[in-house]
Amino acid sequence: MALERLNLTVSDGEFLILVGPSGCGKSTALRLTAGLDKPTSGEIRIGGTVVNGLAPGQRDIAMVFQNYALYPHMSVYRNLAYGLRQRRTPRAEIERRVRETAELLQISELLDRKPGQLSGGQRQRVAMGRALVRKPQAFLLDEPLSNLDAKLRNQVRGDLKRLHRELPITSIYVTHDQVEAMTLGDRLCVMSKGEVQQIGTTDDIYNRPANTFVAAFMGSPPMNLVPAVIRSGILHIGGAAVTAVASPNGPVTVGVRPEHLQLHSAYADGMVPARVDFVEPLGSHVLVTALVDVRDDSLPGTAAQTRVIVQAPAGNDWESGTRIGLVMPPERTYFFDAETGDARRSRERISL
Amino acid sequence: MPEDAPARRPFVVLRGLGRGESVTGWALVSPAVVLIGVFGLLPVLMSLQLSFQKSDLLTPETPWVGLENYRKLADDPVFVEAIKHTIIYTALFVPGTMLVGLFVAAALNRSVRFISVYRTAAYITMAVSTISQGIIFLWLTDRDYGLVNAALNAVGAPSQPFLASPSQALYVIVAMTIWGWTGFSVIVYLAALQGVPAELHEAAAIDGASAATRFRTITVPLLGPANLFLVVWLTINALQLFDEVYATTRGGPLRATTVIVYYLWDRAFVQFDAGYAAAMAYALFVVILVITAVQFRLARKHVHTS
Amino acid sequence: MTKLQLSDVAAAPVPTLAHSDAPPAPPARRRRWLPFSPWHLVLIPLTFLLIVPLLWMLVTSLETEGEANRFPPVLLPERPRFENYSEAWAAAPFGHFFLNSALVTLVVLLSNLVVCSLAGYAFARIRFLGRGALFVTLMATLMVPFQVTMIPVFLIVKWFGDNVWAGLGIDHIGALMLPNLATAFGIFFLRQFFQTVPVELEEAARVDGTSRLGVLFKIVLPLSLPALSTLAALTVLTSWNDFLWPLIVITSHDQMTIPLGLSYFQGAHRVKWPLLMAANVMSLLPMLLVFVGAQRYFVQSVASTGLKG
């Protein structure tokens, strides 16, 4: 199934982002809301009305497509006016609204041109304009920035945020880019394989991930996830005792983000032993990729080592093979069920 | 040499796209040049020369007659009739084939089960030779035993002479050739319809346009290039109608279906008046060129090309 | 206040059929009335109408003369009379007709593929003196209608027959092959396709040591099979169904191609409709089979020229 039982609520004026890898069902959810595809079960409401039986044109929604879908044989003006004309809006009203929207998006000089004569960024704005001019109840955006080059994308992201502040229309925005998701959304809905993994604000998603998928998907570089075992109340990684934890014994997945993990050149007891693989300098900091031994008799079938990324201050360099120690700060260490990947409900405090 | 290696000498990837390649280039094109030159270009010149001569294709003596052939054309009532018939034929055939093709293609532009079977059936008229078409339609429209007259009688209409009638024959040939060219027309339109991105339909649907409105305002305007191609191609072919006339009426009855190329062929290869025929052909050639040029001019103004 | 709400929504993956008419909002209701799409009710009669002439031809070819000469017509013969076919075959040298058509088509096909590939490649990838002007001149021949060239080509072919080899001259199948050994269309079509093959592939091959022409045979041609097949389909169809030129050049029965032979048969057995239809079916069958088998390439040939104008 492209979508398993999806339950999603968007508040009035909210900007909700559906984010996830390709095939996760986010575009499907958007198209169902638009009425371009039909659900096999379930109910969709817009503004309180059930819209399952309504054609897209009757749902009072507007959509911005990834490839813009501008009518190539019509001028920008007629592209913007098309939806209004279908609703028999009087000519003067159309004129007013089109010019107003064009002004807002700074495309007033382009009204007489055809889409083929516009740049990618201009086309994107016309696509936005076509949706905005109809003042719909809801705004559906399907990866509208993915066809723009990186620089333009950053700029348009800012424009979008400002636009939503000025015109807070209820919106669902689909993207696979987690940076876009985290910066643009009031709330995020992380999806994978047709199911919702977690819904929440950027802060919720980033700092309180519900499972290993969300933890690893959001954040770049991703959170380090390491298989470990708790024996007699002590956390063991690769056989080495790390610290005491107040958590049931058994296998567990431990997660720490690269920027929270602390790197010590000299290994000491209680640290996680590791060996440097390579260092990537990034100007403001460096990323050290290290190998951690995770072999444990209680964890049959796990690989011998796992890679871990640590963020360290700039200017440092370590030779490949150097033995180092890693420290996991208690308030930034996450525990996930080793089998299901779900976050353990209470974050266990570790005593060092 | 090993010591020289990369640091010293830049690694030249492609040598000489300059004149060094001319020999190779000409060698490769020479068979085509010879063949097309002899059978494509030379005849154009020969035809012009022939049009100023009197020739019967057999005797080597071909006296020069200047512009007399062209002058005879203007006074030739059969020629004038042939032009009239060709124009009527073209004016009916071209829009007819396009409309039928568009209609059938629109019906075929969906993904139900067995759609490929339906499409094959629509395309297949393309493979039927003109002679076969002629024979089939002679039989279908037979005055006494034809299926069409049987159908007409069944709904109370009287039998028609069809191809045996001077007033009806040309129109029957129009219908017959529309049938024969439908496959071609459907292929062009279907490709054009499928070339309209589904997203445009979706965007228009979200904008509130009904299926009919979408067809009218989005699909049809985007068919411009296909329309242009068909108009030009079908017109050129219509002006050269021959096979189907030969297979059915041989230009009759009473010259009712004599079209230009038929008359030309008749003059050149049955009556052995080749010089005159050449003059006729040349005059027509000029007309076709003018018509095609006009079509392209009009198109550039009105047809949207992306 | 909630604006948008999805409750317990599930959806099956939508198969991305490349070219479907996007019907974004047919109400689900319709599905429950019929077990199949209502479009079948339109498509079936429509396609039936289109092929009814062919079906009627087939039916008539299996009737007796008595059955055919009945009005209103018999819709199905009592007993299919397959003897019509053997009689038709015997009544005219169909064996010769088929052989001639096959030979002519084969030679024309091979010649076109070879000559147009060489020339098309040269025009696409080799810069030589006069390339532009030569290309335009050759393409100009596409604008010239057959009626202008048919008389002089007759004379040229006659000259070949008298001075080079009789087999190339009037009333021999060589004359059917000669003027069609290369077409400007073939060159245009292949040149266009060769230009879409990434130059980097050829350059990489030459860096690896392939010769200038080797690139054509080892890299470009193998990648051009779709285009070559498309051109082949079109050439076969045009050559096989050609009528006017054979009519002009051939008079002896044993040199006739199928369309011409069929026309001769028609002249000899004008009102023996079942016999004539049987002959017609036999004549049509090869090209129909080829068409159905290679349909993809025929469609491509038309669609690609149509949309590039």
Side-chain angles (χ1 to χ4, degrees):
Chain A
M1 296 293 269
L3 268 186
E4 307 290 340
R5 304 180 49 199
L6 174 71
N7 279 290
L8 194 63
T9 304
V10 188
S11 307
D12 189 23
E14 184 176 24
F15 199 99
L16 179 83
I17 306 226
L18 297 180
V19 61
S22 50
C24 69
K26 54 192 194 296
S27 286
T28 311
L30 198 73
R31 289 174 63 89
L32 291 176
T33 312
L36 297 173
D37 291 325
K38 280 187 305 299
T40 50
S41 64
E43 210 177 59
I44 304 174
R45 288 171 192 264
I46 301 181
T49 329
V50 176
V51 298
N52 282 44
L54 292 181
Q58 299 169 306
R59 297 188 183 199
D60 198 18
I61 44 113
M63 186 151 156
V64 180
F65 291 81
Q66 186 175 357
N67 294 314
Y68 315 136
L70 298 180
Y71 308 122
H73 55 294
M74 297 188 197
S75 66
V76 169
Y77 184 96
R78 286 184 60 202
N79 262 277
L80 296 176
Y82 190 78
L84 295 175
R85 288 183 55 192
Q86 301 310 315
R87 283 163 174 71
R88 314 258 183 276
T89 317
R91 183 92 73 86
E93 174 76 10
I94 296 184
E95 171 94 23
R96 187 182 66 80
R97 300 230 279 201
V98 168
R99 296 211 178 271
E100 200 177 64
T101 309
E103 187 72 42
L104 181 67
L105 290 167
Q106 298 175 324
I107 47 174
S108 303
E109 330 77 62
L110 305 175
L111 284 175
D112 289 321
R113 301 220 202 135
K114 292 229 178 86
Q117 302 165 303
L118 303 176
S119 73
Q122 291 169 328
R123 272 185 234 167
Q124 204 267 347
R125 275 181 281 157
V126 176
M128 300 271 314
R130 183 174 63 181
L132 282 174
V133 79
R134 286 184 30 219
K135 301 214 205 307
Q137 274 199 77
F139 216 15
L140 306 175
L141 303 104
D142 190 358
E143 310 215 40
L145 304 185
S146 53
N147 283 353
L148 300 173
D149 65 70
K151 203 171 82 153
L152 208 49
R153 215 182 297 163
N154 288 338
Q155 186 195 322
V156 179
R157 228 171 52 214
D159 292 340
L160 266 178
K161 219 165 160 84
R162 262 182 284 121
L163 202 63
H164 183 73
R165 240 202 341 251
E166 263 182 75
L167 294 175
I169 307 182
T170 313
S171 308
I172 302 185
Y173 184 104
V174 162
T175 180
H176 62 274
D177 183 320
Q178 33 116 356
V179 173
E180 243 171 65
M182 290 199 284
T183 54
L184 277 176
D186 291 337
R187 272 196 313 155
L188 281 73
C189 171
V190 183
M191 295 180 68
S192 169
K193 302 211 176 84
E195 287 181 323
V196 175
Q197 303 297 317
Q198 185 176 358
I199 305 183
T201 61
T202 303
D203 182 52
D204 289 333
I205 303 277
Y206 194 78
N207 293 316
R208 290 172 284 280
N211 57 37
T212 48
F213 177 83
V214 177
F217 187 78
M218 307 299 287
S220 181
M223 181 188 285
N224 298 300
L225 294 169
V226 176
V229 185
I230 301 181
R231 274 197 284 270
S232 321
I234 311 273
L235 179 69
H236 291 79
I237 296 180
V242 179
T243 77
V245 293
S247 189
N249 290 332
V252 76
T253 302
V254 180
V256 190
R257 293 205 182 270
E259 65 266 23
H260 299 141
L261 202 52
Q262 293 162 5
L263 193 156
H264 292 253
S265 300
Y267 170 78
D269 270 338
M271 294 186 190
V272 181
R275 250 172 310 118
V276 172
D277 196 7
F278 55 86
V279 178
E280 294 169 291
L282 280 167
S284 55
H285 55 271
V286 301
L287 291 177
V288 180
T289 303
L291 294 166
V292 174
D293 195 2
V294 296
R295 201 176 3 197
D296 193 299
D297 298 320
S298 317
L299 298 173
T302 6
Q305 293 176 326
T306 193
R307 274 212 172 74
V308 151
I309 303 183
V310 193
Q311 192 174 307
N316 283 307
D317 199 13
W318 289 270
E319 280 252 339
S320 176
T322 314
R323 304 198 90 234
I324 51 172
L326 299 171
V327 173
M328 305 181 299
E331 64 289 353
R332 289 313 202 167
T333 306
Y334 301 90
F335 290 86
F336 302 94
D337 189 288
E339 270 178 36
T340 64
D342 291 330
R344 291 209 170 163
R345 236 170 316 129
S346 51
R347 248 178 319 118
E348 321 299 335
R349 308 220 85 241
I350 315 179
S351 54
L352 277 168
Chain B
M1 226 166 8
E3 304 121 60
D4 280 346
R8 287 276 213 99
R9 262 202 321 232
F11 191 24
V12 176
V13 173
L14 273 183
R15 261 165 220 291
L17 279 185
R19 277 185 343 165
E21 298 238 291
S22 276
V23 177
T24 324
W26 276 96
L28 288 182
V29 292
S30 45
V33 169
V34 167
L35 285 169
I36 297 182
V38 170
F39 294 103
L41 293 169
L42 180 60
V44 177
L45 299 169
M46 283 176 71
S47 207
L48 189 60
Q49 182 194 34
L50 206 58
S51 71
F52 298 127
Q53 297 173 333
K54 190 166 175 61
S55 159
D56 65 357
L57 293 178
L58 297 171
T59 49
E61 287 85 37
T62 50
W64 191 266
V65 294
L67 288 172
E68 191 189 314
N69 284 330
Y70 288 97
R71 259 175 264 141
K72 264 195 338 185
L73 269 181
D75 295 327
D76 185 347
V78 182
F79 179 61
V80 173
E81 248 199 280
I83 292 190
K84 197 164 59 118
H85 295 152
T86 310
I87 291 180
I88 297 178
Y89 172 76
T90 306
L92 292 173
F93 167 75
V94 175
T97 308
M98 288 172 71
L99 279 171
V100 173
L102 180 58
F103 178 69
V104 175
L108 290 173
N109 187 27
R110 56 205 66 253
S111 47
V112 298
R113 220 162 21 134
F114 301 131
I115 193 67
S116 46
V117 175
Y118 294 128
R119 287 183 187 167
T120 304
Y123 297 159
I124 210 153
T125 64
M126 231 187 105
V128 179
S129 78
T130 46
I131 300 299
S132 295
Q133 267 180 54
I135 295 178
I136 294 175
F137 273 79
L138 267 177
W139 174 228
L140 272 177
T141 61
D142 189 70
R143 187 210 300 256
D144 303 313
Y145 305 113
L147 190 61
V148 179
N149 276 331
L152 282 179
N153 288 355
V155 294
S159 287
Q160 304 294 326
F162 290 128
L163 287 168
S165 146
S167 53
Q168 292 180 350
L170 190 62
Y171 301 102
V172 175
I173 294 192
V174 170
M176 172 172 89
T177 48
I178 289 182
W179 178 82
W181 277 86
T182 295
F184 181 85
S185 184
V186 167
I187 293 178
V188 174
Y189 274 129
L190 194 56
L193 287 174
Q194 290 173 346
V196 177
E199 267 189 357
L200 285 186
H201 283 285
E202 291 176 349
I206 289 179
D207 271 342
S210 67
T213 314
R214 286 202 307 270
F215 190 76
R216 193 172 43 89
T217 57
I218 310 286
T219 312
V220 169
L222 290 179
L223 291 177
N227 286 331
L228 176 63
F229 171 70
L230 279 177
V231 167
V232 172
W233 192 271
L234 292 176
T235 304
I236 291 180
N237 275 282
L239 294 173
Q240 298 182 42
L241 178 68
F242 175 86
D243 294 11
E244 292 87 334
V245 170
Y246 184 92
T248 51
T249 56
R250 299 286 168 100
L254 302 179
R255 291 204 178 283
T257 58
T258 300
V259 287
I260 304 272
V261 177
Y262 190 85
Y263 184 46
L264 235 168
W265 168 82
D266 183 69
R267 259 352 253 263
F269 297 103
V270 174
Q271 305 191 26
F272 297 110
D273 191 4
Y276 182 61
M280 208 189 308
Y282 240 91
L284 275 168
F285 177 29
V286 171
V287 169
I288 292 185
L289 276 181
V290 169
I291 293 182
T292 313
V294 167
Q295 281 172 337
F296 271 110
R297 261 300 194 75
L298 284 175
R300 210 170 301 169
K301 278 196 213 141
H302 295 142
V303 169
H304 158 85
T305 36
S306 45
Chain C
M1 180 176 73
T2 60
K3 208 41 171 308
L4 278 168
Q5 191 166 11
L6 284 86
S7 318
D8 279 345
V9 171
V14 177
T16 42
L17 292 152
H19 302 297
S20 60
D21 188 59
R29 286 174 290 235
R30 217 182 279 158
R31 275 294 153 68
R32 291 185 225 138
W33 290 113
L34 293 166
F36 50 84
S37 163
W39 277 103
H40 287 284
L41 297 175
V42 170
L43 290 171
I44 293 182
L46 187 63
T47 45
F48 180 75
L49 258 176
L50 280 175
I51 59 173
V52 118
L54 297 174
L55 292 175
W56 189 238
M57 166 187 69
L58 190 62
V59 165
T60 309
S61 74
L62 296 170
E63 291 178 343
T64 65
E65 283 221 35
E67 284 171 324
N69 292 330
R70 210 176 295 176
F71 196 81
V74 177
L75 282 181
L76 277 176
E78 246 187 59
R79 184 187 68 84
R81 193 169 185 275
F82 291 104
E83 292 84 3
N84 287 332
Y85 286 86
S86 43
E87 282 169 24
W89 184 272
F94 273 100
H96 279 290
F97 299 160
F98 275 107
L99 201 60
N100 292 332
S101 278
L103 261 171
V104 172
T105 301
L106 189 63
V107 170
V108 168
L109 173 66
L110 291 176
S111 168
N112 262 287
L113 286 179
V114 170
V115 174
C116 294
S117 294
L118 293 177
Y121 181 72
F123 281 118
R125 289 280 187 249
I126 303 184
R127 273 192 217 127
F128 56 94
L129 208 59
R131 179 174 76 166
L134 185 62
F135 186 73
V136 171
T137 313
L138 289 180
M139 291 305 124
T141 62
L142 290 176
M143 293 258 62
V144 181
F146 184 57
Q147 65 254 28
V148 172
T149 56
M150 67 188 189
I151 303 171
V153 174
F154 178 86
L155 292 170
I156 294 174
V157 154
K158 181 167 180 297
W159 181 89
F160 268 94
D162 294 336
N163 298 306
V164 179
W165 175 39
L168 291 174
I170 305 298
D171 211 19
H172 289 90
I173 55 174
L176 299 179
M177 302 175 194
L178 205 50
N180 298 318
L181 291 176
T183 63
F185 175 76
I187 299 179
F188 172 78
F189 186 75
L190 288 182
R191 167 183 177 267
Q192 201 158 335
F193 186 83
F194 290 153
Q195 284 175 335
T196 67
V197 175
V199 176
E200 292 81 35
L201 293 179
E202 298 180 47
E203 292 174 345
R206 290 185 64 192
V207 167
D208 279 341
T210 318
S211 70
R212 188 74 189 82
L213 284 186
V215 171
L216 169 62
F217 295 110
K218 293 193 194 145
I219 308 288
V220 178
L221 282 181
L223 287 175
S224 307
L225 285 181
L228 291 172
S229 308
T230 305
L231 182 63
L234 206 56
T235 308
V236 165
L237 186 66
T238 331
S239 179
W240 188 277
N241 283 345
D242 191 15
F243 177 70
L244 179 50
W245 179 241
L247 178 68
I248 291 175
V249 176
I250 306 279
T251 45
S252 309
H253 300 161
D254 64 341
Q255 297 291 314
M256 286 184 175
T257 54
I258 297 237
L260 193 57
L262 186 61
S263 176
Y264 152 71
F265 191 94
Q266 180 195 17
H269 304 275
R270 202 163 268 282
V271 287
K272 298 199 204 126
W273 292 112
L275 202 63
L276 189 51
M277 288 306 146
N280 205 358
V281 171
M282 286 195 298
S283 307
L284 265 181
L285 214 51
M287 210 30 61
L288 282 185
L289 290 175
V290 166
F291 187 86
V292 172
Q295 183 185 318
R296 185 164 36 127
Y297 297 112
F298 286 101
V299 172
Q300 253 171 31
S301 73
V302 173
S304 58
T305 44
L307 294 178
K308 283 183 196 138

